[in-house]
Amino acid sequence: MEKTWNRQRVGSLVVRATLTVIFTIAAGLKFAEMPFEVAGFERFGYPLWFMYAIGALQLLGAGLLWVRGLTSVAAALLAVLMVGAVGSHWHAGDPVVMAIPALALLILLIGLAYARRAELAVVIPMMSTERS
């Protein structure tokens, strides 16, 4: 039997690969203490340790995008980070154009989380049985 690729599967792979590259690079820039990253977190009023925490969460989210059943959770985690990024730019009084990359990533992440929402039907019951 010949394996066929549908548009949704290919689209999901492309989006996950793109997001993985973006968030892995972004985390690496934070861990490398790139001057513009440090200056940005200082401008937002955040301590340096917070930059490392965000970098770690970005790496975690990028990795979880590839774990079956957790893609939607990873997308939601990264979306929360992007909401924080957009809010930080807004709070710092940055021009709107500076928040556009985070806003574009937020839209992609929401779309991915929505497209993979069926995974939550598996994850949520697992969480409730662990509490029992």
Side-chain angles (χ1 to χ4, degrees), residues 76-89:
L77 164 69
L78 292 170
V80 168
L81 294 179
M82 291 302 97
V83 167
V86 170
S88 294
H89 283 291

Side-chain angles (χ1 to χ4, degrees), residues 21-127:
V21 168
I22 290 169
F23 283 105
T24 301
I25 290 171
L29 294 172
K30 287 170 181 61
F31 290 130
E33 295 182 7
M34 294 302 289
F36 74 91
E37 288 284 356
V38 174
F41 276 79
E42 287 174 350
R43 189 176 77 253
F44 297 148
Y46 301 135
L48 193 58
W49 66 264
F50 190 66
M51 182 178 73
Y52 297 117
I54 295 297
L57 289 172
Q58 288 175 327
L59 275 180
L60 175 65
L64 289 178
L65 286 173
W66 298 97
V67 176
R68 178 172 284 157
L70 294 179
T71 301
S72 60
V73 173
L77 164 69
L78 292 170
V80 168
L81 294 179
M82 291 302 97
V83 167
V86 170
S88 294
H89 283 291
W90 176 75
H91 184 67
D94 290 342
V96 172
V97 73
M98 290 184 73
I100 288 177
L103 191 56
L105 289 170
L106 176 61
I107 292 167
L108 275 176
L109 290 161
I110 289 171
L112 180 59
Y114 181 78
R116 303 291 290 257
R117 68 191 179 278
E119 295 174 346
L120 294 176
V122 175
V123 174
I124 292 173
M126 287 174 28
M127 291 171 47

